[in-house]
Amino acid sequence: MTRSSSATGGCFHCGLPIPPDADFHAHLDAAERDFCCFGCQSVSSAIYEAGLQGYYQRTPEGALLGPPPEPPKDIEIYDFDEVQQEFATCSGDIRDIHLLVEGIHCPACVWLIERGLQRAPGVQAANVNLAAKRLHLRWDNSRSKLSDLIRALARIGYSAVPYDPESAEGAIRKANRAMLYRLFFAGFAMMNMLWISIALYSGADRDEFRQFFHWMGLALATPTLLYSGYPFYRGAFGGLRGGHLTMDLPIAIGLTVTYAYSLYVTVSRSTVGEVYFDTVTNLIFVILIGRYLEGMFRHQAVSATKRLMELQPRVAIVMRDGQEQMTPIRGVKPGDHVLIKPGYKVPVDGVVLEGHSAVDEAMLSGESAPVGKLAGAQVYAGTVNSSGALLVEVRAQLQDTTLSKIIRLVEEAQSSKAPIQRLADTIVPWFVLVTLICATVTFFIWNSHDFEIALMAATSVLIITCPCALGMATPMSIAVASGLGAKHGILVKNGLVLETLSKVTHFVFDKTGTLTEGRMSVAQVHVATGCDEQSVLRHAAAVERYSEHGVAKAIVSEVEARQLPHRDLVAVGFHATAGLGVQAEVAGQAVLLGSAEWLTRQGVVLDEMLQTRAHALETQAMSCVYMAQNGKHVAVIALADKLRIDAQQLVNELRAAGIAMTLLSGDRRPVAEAIARQLGGMEVIAEVLPQDKDRVIQRLQQGGAVVAMVGDGVNDAPALIRADVGIALGSGTDVSVESADIVLMYNELDKVRQATQLSRRTLLTIKQNIGLSFVYNAIMVPLAMMARVSPLVAAISMPISSLIVIGNAARIRTLFKKQ
C-alpha cells in the first residue's frame, strides 16, 4: 500500500507529526505530499527520482521510520587511497569495503539501499546485513568515488561510514545498554504490579477499590508496553513491512490482545471480567531477560573473532631519523622500520633487519616452543617477541597481514549460510503462521466455555511457540565451529563447507608438499661418461636459481652446500614450462632441466645407462630430473622427499572410515606409486599436468563422488576450486590458499582429520538443535492449547529453549579438548 500524508496525518516519509511552522511540500506521484523537515522532503524526492518508490509500498501504513540521520561530514577523505587502505580491500580499481549504515530499520531499507546503489555507476555488488546494519560494497573506483556512493546513500536517507571493529563493538555495547534499560524498567513495573495483584487477589476486586487498582495497573502497564515492549513491535512491524512473518509477531499479538482486553475491562468498568496487566508486565520482563541472556551467551559463544582482534597491537614503535616514535598501527606503512622490544607483541608482518630473538608463534603454528628469529626471518602480527629486541621492516599493510586475513575468513564463515540453515530460514515464517493459526483455533475452542480462559490459552500458545530456537540452530553452530576451527588453525571460509565436508566420500591428495614434507634434497647425482659432475651441477644451479619450484631450490641448496661457485655464470633467456621443466642459455650452452618426456620433445636422445639408473631410483620414491646441454643428455639428478610424520595416521583413519583416496601427482608414476605403497596403497594418478588436475576431480564428481582436494601449490589451484571442498596447507602458495575453502594454518596434515571431525560434529549439532526445537514445540504447544500452561510459564519456557540450543552449540568447543 502507498503511504500518504493525509492518511497518516504526519510526514509522508517518516510518519512523524508535522510541526505547525513547517512548510515543506513536494508534488510526488500525482499528489501533494507534506513533510516534517527538509531532510525528509529531499530524501523522498530522491527516492522518486530514482524510480525507487516501491520502498513506500513495502512500508506499512502508520509505521514510524524516524527522520533521516545526519549524513557524515568530510566524506571526501575516504577517497584517498591511503585512507581506503585502512578499510577496503583493493585489487587495482576494484575496491571491496564494509560500511556501517545508520538508519536501517527493516527489510524495506535493505531493498532500497541495494537497489539504489546497484544503479550507481561502477557498483558491482551491494549486500546489506540487516542484523549487523552493515553494507558490503564492491565498486570500480575509476567510475565512482566512495564519497559519491556515500552521498547517494545520504540522498535516500542513510548515513554510512567505513566499518571499524572498535566502533562496531561500541554500537553493540550501546544496544545492550538500551536493552538493559528496557529490562530494568519492566522489572520495576513488574515489582510494583505485584503489590496491585496481591491486593486484587486478596479481595480488593470486590469492593470500591477495584477500579482504583485497575487504573493503577493500567498506569504501570501502558509505559511498560510502549517502552520495554517496543523491540517486539519493531521486529513484528519490520517483518510485515518486508512481507515476512517474524518471531516477534506472535509475542506482539499476545501482548496487544491481553493489554487490549484488560484496557476494555478497566475503561468499561465491567464487574465481570478480570484485568491482566500483571501478565503483560511479567511477560515483557521475562522475555527481555531471555533475550538479554541469549545475546550474552551468543556473544560469548562466537567471541573467537573478538579474541583474534585483541591479538592485534594498537600501536607500534616506528624508527624515524634514529628516533623512536609511538605510532598508531593504522599509520604504519610498508617500508617503515619498526622496533619490537622484548615482551611486546609483533604489530606487523615483516622481515627482521637487525637483532635476534625467540618469538612465540603459537597463534599461527600451534607450537608452544618459541621460534628463533635472525636477520632475514619473517615475523607476523599478533605473535609475541620473547627475549631480544628486533628491528623489522614492514612488508604488509594492516588489512593484508596474516592475522587480518584470518579474522576476515572467520567473519565471512560466521556470517555465511549453509543449505540446512537456508531450509530453516524458509521454515520459520511458516512456523509463525502455524502458531497464529493454533492460537486462533485455541481461542475459538475455549471461548465457548470461558472467554478469559480462551484469552489466556491463546496468549500462552503465542508466547510459548519458539521459532527462535529453530532460527538459531544453524548459525550458532556454524559460528562456534568457525571460531573453534580458527583457534586450532583450521580456517573455514563459509558454512556450506562444513556441511559438505561431512559428506565427502573421496579424498584426493597432492604428493609434493602435502603427503610429503615438500623439502626435497639432492640424494644422488649421476652424469654421463666424459662429463664433469661439478660443472654439470654449477650449470644446473645457474638456471634453477631463477625458479621458485621446490626441485630448483633443492638443486641450488646442494650446489651451495658443496661450495661450488655458480653465481658467476649468467643465465640468458630463462623460461619455465609448468609441470615439465626449465631452460636457459648459460655460457653459450643451451641448458634444459626437466622430465624425460620433455627432454625427448626438445629433440634430446636419452642416455640408456642414465635412464636405467633413473628408473631404479624412481622405484625407491626418488624423483629424477633429467639434464641436457646443447642437445646432449648429460645427467640425472635424484631428489628425495620424506613423508610427513602424520600422513600415515591420516590415511589409515580415512581408510577405516571407508573413504576412497587418490594420490594425484605431476611426478613420474614409479615415484608416486612408491609413495602410495609406503602409505598402505591407494589409487595413483601420476604425470598429470596442472591444467589436467581439475579434469581428474571433475571425472570423480561425475562418477557420483563428493570430492575433497588437499594441496599446497600453484598447480593445485584449479583442482582446489573444482573440488567440492578444497583444503590448502598454510605452507602453500598464496594462490592455493586463495583458491581453497579451508586453510590449514599450522601446516599439519592431521588438521585434515580434525577439520573432518569438526564438520561432522557441527552437522550433528545442527540436527540436534533443530530436533530439540521441534520436540520442545511438540510438547509445549499442545499443553498450551489445553490451557495447562499459563502465559507466565510460557514466557519462562520460551527463552529456556533458546538457551538450550545455544548451550548445545557451545558444546562444539569441547571437541578437541581430549586430543
Side-chain angles (χ1 to χ4, degrees):
M1 91 188 71
T2 304
R3 181 197 296 263
S4 67
S5 56
S6 60
T8 63
C11 175
F12 173 71
H13 176 71
C14 71
L16 294 176
I18 298 176
D21 57 344
D23 187 23
F24 303 100
H25 314 280
H27 192 75
L28 303 172
D29 202 17
E32 190 73 17
R33 309 298 187 185
D34 300 324
F35 301 92
C36 64
C37 63
F38 180 72
C40 285
Q41 177 187 333
S42 301
V43 167
S44 187
S45 298
I47 290 173
Y48 269 86
E49 288 170 7
L52 296 171
Q53 57 267 32
Y55 169 69
Y56 294 110
Q57 296 171 357
R58 289 163 172 78
T59 307
E61 200 77 53
L64 300 181
L65 304 179
E70 188 73 20
K73 293 179 170 52
D74 300 325
I75 56 177
E76 288 78 10
I77 193 174
Y78 298 131
D79 293 334
F80 290 104
D81 287 342
E82 295 82 2
V83 176
Q84 284 191 16
Q85 286 170 357
E86 297 182 17
F87 304 102
T89 303
C90 305
S91 178
D93 285 327
I94 304 302
R95 308 291 167 90
D96 201 292
I97 195 170
H98 288 270
L99 298 175
L100 198 59
V101 184
E102 183 183 354
I104 296 179
H105 304 90
C106 60
C109 298
V110 174
W111 180 90
L112 178 60
I113 292 172
E114 291 181 347
R115 278 156 184 77
L117 283 180
Q118 285 167 1
R119 300 180 181 189
V123 173
Q124 298 183 352
N127 300 300
V128 175
N129 183 329
L130 176 60
K133 304 289 192 292
R134 279 163 62 179
L135 166 65
H136 181 203
L137 181 65
R138 184 181 296 113
W139 82 103
D140 185 340
N141 199 53
S142 65
R143 298 184 61 194
S144 284
K145 295 181 179 179
L146 180 58
S147 61
D148 292 335
L149 299 177
I150 294 176
R151 284 194 192 92
L153 281 172
R155 282 196 296 272
I156 56 174
Y158 302 94
S159 174
V161 293
Y163 168 72
D164 181 74
E166 292 183 10
S167 62
E169 191 69 23
I172 292 173
R173 286 197 295 268
K174 183 179 178 181
N176 286 341
R177 189 163 57 247
M179 175 72 80
L180 274 178
Y181 288 154
R182 298 183 194 279
L183 177 61
F184 289 152
F185 189 90
F188 170 80
M190 186 195 72
M191 287 186 291
N192 284 277
M193 189 70 76
L194 178 64
W195 297 110
I196 296 174
S197 301
I198 291 174
L200 291 172
Y201 294 148
S202 300
D205 61 334
R206 299 187 186 91
D207 54 28
E208 67 274 13
F209 292 105
R210 172 185 170 91
Q211 286 301 315
F212 171 76
F213 285 119
H214 283 186
W215 284 101
M216 287 292 292
L218 176 63
L220 284 170
T222 301
T224 305
L225 183 69
L226 296 177
Y227 176 64
S228 298
Y230 171 73
F232 308 124
Y233 289 98
R234 180 182 59 196
F237 280 119
L240 291 174
R241 191 181 294 129
H244 302 291
L245 299 178
T246 66
M247 305 168 190
D248 288 317
L249 185 60
I251 298 173
I253 292 175
L255 292 173
T256 302
V257 171
T258 306
Y259 175 83
Y261 174 71
S262 302
L263 178 64
Y264 166 75
V265 171
T266 301
V267 174
S268 65
R269 298 179 176 271
S270 171
T271 58
V272 178
E274 299 293 339
V275 294
Y276 294 95
F277 292 125
D278 55 338
T279 301
V280 173
T281 55
N282 291 348
L283 286 178
I284 293 174
F285 178 68
V286 172
I287 296 173
L288 283 178
I289 287 179
R291 290 277 175 96
Y292 183 75
L293 291 176
E294 284 175 24
M296 184 175 66
F297 290 136
R298 187 163 59 241
H299 188 66
Q300 290 176 355
V302 300
S303 57
T305 306
K306 185 171 183 290
R307 288 195 298 271
L308 286 170
M309 288 177 177
E310 289 170 352
L311 293 174
Q312 175 63 60
R314 298 288 183 260
V315 295
I317 301 174
V318 179
M319 301 299 296
R320 291 195 173 99
D321 299 325
Q323 300 294 317
E324 298 180 8
Q325 291 186 9
M326 193 69 72
T327 306
I329 192 62
R330 293 189 184 280
V332 179
K333 300 176 181 178
D336 285 348
H337 292 179
V338 173
L339 178 65
I340 306 169
K341 297 180 179 180
Y344 281 50
K345 285 184 180 179
V346 178
V348 292
D349 282 10
V351 175
V352 177
L353 296 177
E354 297 176 12
H356 62 275
S357 180
V359 176
D360 181 357
E361 294 186 343
M363 74 100 175
L364 282 179
S365 65
E367 298 293 336
S368 56
V371 180
K373 299 291 181 182
L374 299 171
Q378 282 195 316
V379 292
Y380 302 96
T383 56
V384 180
N385 183 23
S386 302
S387 51
L390 296 173
L391 183 65
V392 173
E393 180 181 338
V394 180
R395 290 293 177 88
Q397 295 174 333
L398 177 62
Q399 69 270 25
D400 294 326
T401 63
T402 302
L403 179 61
S404 295
K405 291 178 181 177
I406 292 173
I407 293 171
R408 198 152 52 238
L409 287 175
V410 174
E411 285 183 334
E412 289 174 1
Q414 291 183 341
S415 62
S416 65
K417 290 187 178 183
I420 194 169
Q421 181 182 350
R422 288 193 283 270
L423 176 62
D425 290 346
T426 303
I427 292 173
V428 166
W430 293 102
F431 194 101
V432 175
L433 179 61
V434 171
T435 298
L436 297 176
I437 293 172
C438 288
T440 304
V441 171
T442 301
F443 178 81
F444 283 110
I445 290 175
W446 282 103
N447 190 41
S448 59
H449 296 83
D450 186 291
F451 176 80
E452 293 189 357
I453 293 178
L455 179 66
M456 290 297 101
T459 301
S460 297
V461 171
L462 291 169
I463 300 299
I464 208 166
T465 47
C466 188
C468 306
L470 179 62
M472 287 191 295
T474 300
M476 277 303 306
S477 301
I478 288 177
V480 174
S482 301
L484 179 67
K487 182 179 178 182
H488 287 82
I490 303 167
L491 298 184
V492 182
K493 291 189 177 180
N494 58 67
L496 171 62
V497 173
L498 284 171
E499 186 171 339
T500 307
L501 183 57
S502 66
K503 301 174 182 176
V504 165
T505 60
H506 200 121
F507 266 88
V508 177
F509 294 97
D510 174 50
K511 180 180 74 69
T512 306
T514 302
L515 289 176
T516 65
E517 291 181 351
R519 293 194 294 269
M520 305 188 88
S521 58
V522 175
Q524 298 180 30
V525 179
H526 299 277
V527 298
T529 304
C531 295
D532 178 57
E533 181 176 321
Q534 291 189 357
S535 175
V536 165
L537 286 175
R538 288 179 62 221
H539 281 74
V543 177
E544 293 285 20
R545 69 171 180 252
Y546 293 99
S547 173
E548 289 293 321
H549 198 281
V551 169
K553 292 177 181 178
I555 293 174
V556 173
S557 296
E558 176 67 16
V559 171
E560 291 179 345
R562 295 190 185 193
Q563 298 182 343
L564 300 176
H566 66 92
R567 298 197 178 273
D568 57 325
L569 297 174
V570 179
V572 179
F574 174 85
H575 178 72
T577 304
L580 295 174
V582 295
Q583 62 189 55
E585 185 176 310
V586 180
Q589 295 183 328
V591 178
L592 288 81
L593 293 103
S595 65
E597 290 78 9
W598 190 61
L599 261 66
T600 301
R601 285 188 215 169
Q602 303 299 317
V604 176
V605 178
L606 300 181
D607 184 288
E608 289 186 8
M609 181 189 69
L610 291 179
Q611 205 170 7
T612 301
R613 288 183 178 175
H615 289 160
L617 293 169
E618 286 173 346
T619 60
Q620 301 172 38
M622 292 188 192
S623 299
C624 291
V625 177
Y626 291 71
M627 179 175 171
Q629 286 180 298
N630 284 338
K632 179 186 176 183
H633 186 195
V634 297
V636 167
I637 304 172
L639 300 104
D641 189 6
K642 292 193 299 184
L643 278 175
R644 289 181 181 268
I645 57 174
D646 49 2
Q648 187 68 65
Q649 180 186 359
L650 172 63
V651 169
N652 290 343
E653 291 191 8
L654 291 176
R655 187 180 292 119
I659 296 175
M661 288 171 287
T662 295
L663 176 59
L664 187 63
S665 176
D667 212 336
R668 297 269 300 165
R669 174 168 286 279
V671 178
E673 288 178 341
I675 294 292
R677 282 196 300 273
Q678 292 179 31
L679 292 170
M682 67 176 72
E683 180 189 10
V684 174
I685 302 177
E687 301 177 39
V688 181
L689 295 176
Q691 59 266 32
D692 295 328
K693 285 189 175 183
D694 70 318
R695 295 177 192 163
V696 173
I697 302 294
Q698 186 177 24
R699 189 165 63 248
L700 291 171
Q701 291 171 328
Q702 289 171 346
V706 180
V707 182
M709 170 71 189
V710 187
D712 74 325
V714 173
N715 58 346
D716 297 322
L720 289 169
I721 294 172
R722 171 73 66 182
D724 297 288
V725 179
I727 303 175
L729 271 67
S731 60
T733 62
D734 289 342
V735 176
S736 65
V737 168
E738 288 294 327
S739 303
D741 302 302
I742 297 176
V743 181
L744 307 180
M745 293 299 298
Y746 293 171
N747 197 27
E748 296 174 9
L749 202 55
D750 187 55
K751 294 298 178 185
V752 174
R753 177 185 62 83
Q754 290 188 341
T756 305
Q757 286 182 330
L758 182 63
S759 69
R760 290 174 179 168
R761 177 68 173 272
T762 304
L763 195 63
L764 175 63
T765 302
I766 290 171
K767 292 178 178 178
Q768 287 174 344
N769 284 345
I770 292 175
L772 285 170
S773 176
F774 278 115
V775 167
Y776 162 82
N777 286 287
I779 294 173
M780 299 305 291
V781 173
L783 288 176
M785 294 181 72
M786 294 163 61
R788 299 289 184 180
V789 177
S790 70
L792 183 58
V793 172
I796 295 172
S797 303
M798 186 192 70
I800 289 177
S801 67
S802 298
L803 294 176
I804 290 173
V805 165
I806 293 171
N808 191 46
R811 287 176 57 245
I812 294 175
R813 292 190 293 190
T814 65
L815 177 61
F816 300 137
K817 285 191 175 179
K818 297 180 181 179
Q819 299 184 20

